[in-house]
Amino acid sequence: MDFKRIAVDTSKAVFTVHGIDEQDRPLLRRNFSRPAFEAFCVGLPPTEVVLEACGGSHHWGRRLSAMGHRVRLIPPQYVKPFVKRGKNDRNDAEAISEAAGRPGMTEVAVKPAERQAAAMVLSVRELLVRNRTQAINALRGHAAEFGVIAAKGTAQVAPLLERIAADTQIPEPARQMLAFLARQVTHLDEEIATLDAQLRKAAASDAIARRLSAAPGIGPLSAITLSLTVDPSQFESGRHFAAWLGMVPRECSTGGKQRLGGISRAGNERLRQLLVVGAMAVIRHAKPGSKSASPWLLKLLERRPRKVAAVALANKMARVVWATLLKVPPDRLRSGGMPEEGMMARGEDYRRLPVMA
């Protein structure tokens, strides 16, 4: 049986397959177990196989590509509008097939196993940071129940523990539990420091991360995160990259009238957070004569709040990461002086813009 396209709704144990012919008529709607699905794909002639981009999709993308199939990964948010009333696995698989048939549908590149493994340290570090935040909040909250108050932040943990030790009114059971939480925070601090050292070492040995670290507001953590999680071939320009990060206004326009709101916050939340935090670091030291403060930024800070300026600067940083003026012919420059390709796409170093008289 020849198929034009096979769409698969995946799960841990059940794989729902929706196959269509050249006239887009359904030929196969069937559930497979995990071993049966793999055996089914082995027996298929080379076919287009479409899956939702999720945690296990990259594994199956690599396995199916090795079998000779053409694999496409569709973002789940683009599949959802095609789901019919009455959600179930078969309707989900049909929606994946419908979305894949739309011209110009955005796809996610299948990650190599080595790249996916290298990026795991970033996810593990985020998990540890969240656990540390929860432990610190629990420590502050329980201490407040006995009248011991502390400000927010990891730097306030040590003073809080000193006040707890000095307060003789705290009952012993509570003192033991507070000490237990303090040990958890200390342990998580040590684990996060170990991962930070590993990431700094990886950033120092990664050519792309070293180039990105030269840009203002981009440190080793941001640089290695960008290097491991961003595929520059997926973006046409720096503006496209900034829009993918969600640092452009949300649009709700109709009737020829343009209505722009706050930033869309689409795309990778972690990358957007790192760039905004880096922009705030640049703004914190922005003053006339500073190497990292351009005239554009100083004028922006005169008329906009700092956090609004930080988002605008983060947008600019994303485009600078992508696009640099070095060795780009004038006819390839976009409006605003930004080239279509840049450090990640062309392997170039960051160069500061000359100060205009």
Side-chain angles (χ1 to χ4, degrees):
M1 187 179 298
D2 294 331
F3 297 99
K4 174 184 177 181
R5 184 188 309 118
I6 294 288
V8 186
D9 182 57
T10 62
S11 68
K12 292 181 180 179
V14 178
F15 293 74
T16 304
V17 174
H18 181 90
I20 61 174
D21 62 11
E22 293 296 333
Q23 285 74 41
D24 291 346
R25 295 174 300 192
L27 296 179
L28 177 66
R29 293 177 177 176
R30 183 178 170 185
N31 291 345
F32 290 89
S33 65
R34 191 181 186 92
F37 171 70
E38 190 163 2
F40 167 76
C41 293
V42 169
L44 275 178
T47 309
E48 179 182 298
V49 182
V50 188
L51 306 93
E52 275 188 328
C54 61
S57 61
H58 294 279
H59 163 74
W60 283 110
R62 294 189 292 267
R63 295 292 297 272
L64 294 171
S65 296
M67 298 175 190
H69 302 300
R70 177 175 175 260
V71 180
R72 299 173 60 196
L73 304 183
I74 308 297
Q77 61 267 33
Y78 296 151
V79 174
K80 186 176 180 180
F82 295 93
V83 178
K84 295 180 180 178
R85 183 181 300 176
K87 182 185 182 304
N88 55 54
D89 291 344
R90 295 196 175 188
N91 285 348
D92 288 347
E94 183 179 357
I96 294 172
S97 180
E98 290 285 345
R102 299 299 92 193
M105 176 57 65
T106 301
E107 300 179 16
V108 177
V110 178
K111 295 180 182 178
E114 295 76 12
R115 185 182 182 89
Q116 196 171 6
M120 275 188 64
V121 63
L122 300 171
S123 300
V124 173
R125 183 186 182 278
E126 287 186 42
L127 175 63
L128 295 181
V129 170
R130 287 197 299 269
N131 290 343
R132 181 179 64 180
T133 302
Q134 291 175 352
I136 292 174
N137 288 341
L139 180 64
R140 291 177 60 250
H142 288 303
E145 294 175 1
F146 298 95
V148 183
I149 307 300
K152 294 181 180 179
T154 56
Q156 304 300 323
V157 173
L160 173 61
L161 295 176
E162 292 176 1
R163 286 195 290 272
I164 292 173
D167 193 331
T168 59
Q169 302 299 319
I170 301 177
E172 186 59 28
R175 193 181 298 276
Q176 292 177 0
M177 290 299 98
L178 291 172
F180 175 79
L181 288 173
R183 289 194 297 272
Q184 295 298 311
V185 173
T186 301
H187 174 70
L188 290 169
D189 280 336
E190 294 172 352
E191 296 295 335
I192 293 171
T194 300
L195 293 182
D196 285 344
Q198 182 177 341
L199 287 171
R200 284 194 295 270
K201 184 178 179 181
S205 60
D206 187 276
I208 295 177
R210 288 198 304 270
R211 287 194 294 269
L212 295 177
S213 297
I218 299 179
L221 179 59
S222 301
I224 193 62
T225 303
L226 286 163
S227 177
L228 292 177
T229 58
V230 175
D231 181 5
S233 64
Q234 290 185 283
F235 306 99
E236 298 177 357
S237 66
R239 293 178 183 274
H240 184 196
F241 178 51
W244 176 77
L245 287 175
M247 292 187 294
V248 296
R250 186 188 301 275
E251 187 170 8
C252 185
S253 303
T254 185
K257 184 174 182 179
Q258 189 178 42
R259 297 183 178 89
L260 301 178
I263 60 172
S264 67
R265 298 188 181 184
N268 192 308
E269 179 180 359
R270 180 58 176 162
L271 289 178
R272 184 171 62 253
Q273 179 188 39
L274 288 172
L275 288 175
V276 173
V277 170
M280 285 296 296
V282 173
I283 289 174
R284 191 175 300 116
H285 301 283
K287 59 182 67 175
S290 173
K291 292 182 179 180
S292 60
S294 64
W296 169 85
L297 177 59
L298 295 175
K299 292 180 180 179
L300 181 63
L301 289 171
E302 292 176 358
R303 64 180 191 274
R304 290 290 186 269
R306 291 166 64 89
K307 290 189 176 180
V308 174
V311 174
L313 178 58
N315 181 300
K316 193 178 186 69
M317 287 166 56
R319 291 185 283 124
V320 167
V321 163
W322 189 258
T324 177
L325 293 177
L326 177 64
K327 297 181 181 179
V328 180
D331 59 347
R332 298 190 61 190
L333 292 177
R334 290 178 176 267
S335 60
M338 285 294 176
E340 298 181 356
E341 298 177 345
M343 288 191 289
M344 295 188 71
R346 306 182 68 224
E348 296 179 346
D349 295 331
Y350 174 77
R351 296 291 184 90
R352 299 183 186 275
L353 294 176
V355 179
M356 303 302 294

